[in-house]
Amino acid sequence: MQRAGVIGLGDMGSGLAKNLIRNGFETTGFDLSEARLNALAEMGGAPAASVADVGANADAIYVMVMNGDQAKSVILGENGLVSHMAQGGAVILTATIKPREAREIGEAMAGSGIHLIDSPVSGGFPGAQGGTLTMMAAAPDAVLDEFQPVMEAVSATIHRVGDGPGQGQTVKACLQTLIGSIFSATFEASVLAAKAGVKGENLFKVFSTSGAGCGCTNTALENIIDRKFENTGSGIGTMHKDLTISLDLAEELGVPMHTASSAMQIFHAGKAKFPEGDNWACTRVIEDIVGAELHR
């Protein structure tokens, strides 16, 4: 069985590690937080002293960091994975970064003997912890076949969306455009209902059983009416970053993005006022403007 590794043991990475261990993979991980390393040990994983140590002790390594610069440092740096992994291993890039950054990483890895699987994920904290993530995987079929078991350990659905770096990230950018827009529309609808005197429970029942009902709408509205704006596993900074990536790609390709641009402004306002909040905290900005809150 392949040895697994995880770089970045936060809300998402800790879930990857937990499910790799649960499925019998010898798992080594690294994070800058000592508390997270201790948590990995308690799960049965092997805390590493550095990224290089993970590279030396794993055949397939998930990179779940926050941005492209971090991904490049972890993968390509002097003490990065490429310099320490054995030939034939794979870096599984599950972090969401700009497509062009993934392509740059792929180009830099060419000839290294290390495979790159560009596979951002969807499902958030519940999906990571429950092992039910959706993966958007881009790599040659032979590589995906070889590393499918280690990917199946953390996901419920693996979509093969391309054969090269950047293609997985492109699909994720399109997905986040839609999710961010749905969230933002839900925030606005909830405040409209609050100002009109509608009960949150009634709004939730209608939305969740209508054509507009979906995981994104239901989750957002339920958190709003229960006034859960922190510690739900969906930090506002992540969606803010992801929409930035979507709009950057749109600018690169010359595609107008009217709805996503509006969603970006809503998330920008939410992040400015509630930087430690979750996505749903954006609603509070609009609520403050109109002087009404939606409760269950």
Side-chain angles (χ1 to χ4, degrees), residues 13 30 34 61 67 87 104 120 124 133 180 223 242 290:
F30 177 74
E34 185 176 349
I61 302 174
N67 57 50
Q87 298 281 298
E104 289 166 0
L133 291 168
N223 280 309
D242 290 355
V290 304

Side-chain angles (χ1 to χ4, degrees), residues 2-291:
Q2 294 160 337
R3 300 170 301 163
V6 181
I7 305 295
L9 297 168
D11 286 344
M12 299 295 290
S14 63
L16 297 178
K18 179 174 73 174
N19 285 289
L20 288 164
I21 294 166
R22 180 181 294 168
N23 282 275
F25 288 92
E26 178 185 325
T27 303
T28 304
F30 177 74
D31 193 282
L32 295 175
S33 165
E34 185 176 349
R36 292 175 179 176
L37 291 172
N38 291 337
L40 175 66
E42 291 173 3
M43 287 190 287
S50 66
V51 170
D53 285 347
V54 178
N57 289 282
D59 306 304
I61 302 174
Y62 285 95
V63 174
M64 187 59 89
V65 294
M66 191 62 181
N67 57 50
D69 287 341
Q70 291 174 358
K72 288 179 180 179
S73 176
V74 162
I75 297 169
L76 304 173
E78 183 178 350
N79 293 307
L81 297 177
V82 171
S83 299
H84 294 85
M85 291 181 71
Q87 298 281 298
V91 171
I92 306 175
L93 180 60
T94 46
T96 298
I97 65 174
K98 295 175 182 178
R100 68 169 177 270
E101 291 173 323
R103 291 193 295 269
E104 289 166 0
I105 292 171
E107 290 168 2
M109 289 178 64
S112 68
I114 309 299
H115 305 294
L116 176 64
I117 300 176
D118 175 23
S119 186
V121 299
S122 182
F125 178 75
Q129 297 295 321
T132 60
L133 291 168
T134 293
M135 305 188 79
M136 292 149 265
D141 281 336
V143 175
L144 294 175
D145 288 343
E146 181 179 355
F147 292 94
Q148 183 160 327
V150 77
M151 296 172 72
E152 287 179 337
V154 304
S155 67
T157 307
I158 301 172
H159 295 290
R160 298 190 178 192
V161 299
D163 59 7
Q167 293 172 312
Q169 299 296 337
T170 298
V171 174
K172 178 65 182 287
C174 296
L175 176 64
Q176 294 305 85
T177 297
L178 179 59
I179 291 176
S181 298
I182 293 172
F183 280 164
S184 297
T186 306
F187 304 156
E188 292 184 332
S190 73
V191 180
L192 179 63
K195 190 66 173 179
V198 176
K199 291 182 179 179
E201 179 69 19
N202 290 337
L203 195 69
F204 180 79
K205 288 178 180 177
V206 172
F207 278 19
S208 62
T209 58
S210 73
C214 65
C216 294
T217 301
N218 298 350
T219 297
L221 186 55
E222 193 156 33
N223 280 309
I224 291 166
I225 64 179
D226 287 336
R227 315 308 292 173
K228 294 180 179 178
F229 298 117
E230 295 181 351
N231 302 316
T232 67
S234 298
I236 194 171
T238 300
M239 179 56 73
H240 183 274
K241 178 207 70 171
D242 290 355
L243 283 171
T244 300
I245 291 172
S246 299
L247 292 174
D248 180 83
L249 179 62
E251 178 70 20
E252 182 181 320
L253 298 176
V255 178
M257 302 281 277
H258 304 292
T259 304
S261 295
S262 296
M264 179 76 246
Q265 292 307 311
I266 290 174
F267 274 90
H268 189 64
K271 183 173 181 288
K273 188 161 186 180
F274 303 106
E276 302 304 319
D278 289 348
N279 292 325
W280 344 115
C282 294
T283 310
R284 296 181 63 191
V285 177
I286 310 172
E287 289 178 339
D288 287 348
I289 292 170
V290 304

